[in-house]
Amino acid sequence: MFQSFRRTTALTVAVSMIVGSNGAAAQTPGDLSDLVDMRGRDAESQMEERGYVSHHTSKGDDAAYTYWWNNRDKRCVRVRTRDGRYEQIKAVGNSDCDQRDHSGSKVAAVAISAAALLGLAALASKSHHREDRDLDERQTAQFERGYRDGLHNQPFHNYEDSKEYSDGYTKGVDQRRQETSYRSDYGSRGGNRAYVNVSDLSNHETTYTWGQLERRGFSLANERKLNNGDNQWLYWNDSTRQCVEVVSRDTWVSYVGEASATACRK
């Protein structure tokens, strides 16, 4: 079992940034419809010419999601790029671009309530993380709690047995891997601390990876099945105080990387 932590006290806070709506607001804006299926490089220059500024990009397994802000129209749009082309353009809530949303929409109100339940000023997850699902405030709060736990490498703690928490945790883990992939060769070690390199252990049969971890001083600490069907194992090295996460699908390891020490505590 993963380490439990105290449930966050529900607070009522003033929220100025919120997650956007779907429905009519999620349709492709008319001034951008001609950019769908255009090559990304050409479409980006068109976006800029039409008053949009790129806010941030989040990468998925096979697509990239870029959020653009138009200050003149006070509009945030999300572009999904796949295989070098603009596959989809959607209007989303202004908070996805870290801007104030005055729409008064149902989903905006849900996001405010969800953030308040967790004592947050705003949600960290974006609309594409939640796949534009129509979640109520409790479900949104559970998704956000899971997302933040996964993103910040906290132990999986689904105390309400919520599908939304599990989905959020998986999305948070995926986002963390994207954001920290640049340092996969070094893990989270710093200074003169002892460190065992495990970056060579992905893309192998699970039995090979397990055996190599044991030879390098690791022992199994925790294991569980992720919501997307992958299996997760956490290995602990007592001499280096190092926790390592292993993720596999069937018998093939797709990811090996550093995890927080708390994740390995039972």
Side-chain angles (χ1 to χ4, degrees), residues 32-100:
L32 301 176
S33 59
D34 61 311
L35 303 185
V36 176
D37 203 39
M38 184 179 288
R39 291 188 62 84
R41 179 179 56 190
D42 299 328
E44 286 177 3
S45 63
Q46 285 294 315
M47 293 286 290
E48 292 170 351
E49 287 183 12
R50 300 176 193 189
Y52 288 86
V53 176
S54 176
H55 181 268
H56 73 280
T57 298
S58 179
K59 295 183 178 180
D61 291 337
D62 59 353
Y65 297 87
T66 303
Y67 291 80
W68 294 78
W69 174 249
N70 187 310
N71 192 55
R72 180 193 62 207
D73 298 334
K74 306 301 180 185
R75 176 195 293 162
C76 181
V77 301
R78 187 186 73 214
V79 175
R80 184 171 70 208
T81 305
R82 198 191 310 269
D83 297 328
R85 292 184 178 275
Y86 273 23
E87 182 181 71
Q88 180 190 71
I89 304 176
K90 279 191 174 184
V92 294
N94 291 353
S95 66
D96 273 355
C97 291
D98 294 330
Q99 300 292 328
R100 192 179 296 272

Side-chain angles (χ1 to χ4, degrees), residues 228-239:
N228 64 358
D230 289 350
N231 297 301
Q232 179 195 61
W233 290 270
L234 291 160
Y235 279 82
W236 174 252
N237 188 315
D238 197 55
S239 63

Side-chain angles (χ1 to χ4, degrees), residues 18-20 95-96 107 111 123-135 139-140 143-144 171:
I18 50 179
V19 172
S95 66
D96 273 355
V107 175
L123 303 185
S125 60
K126 302 298 183 182
S127 55
H128 77 274
H129 293 129
R130 297 185 299 280
E131 300 173 344
D132 295 320
R133 286 179 292 174
D134 186 19
L135 304 179
Q139 291 170 325
T140 302
F143 184 98
E144 179 68 12
K171 292 294 186 180

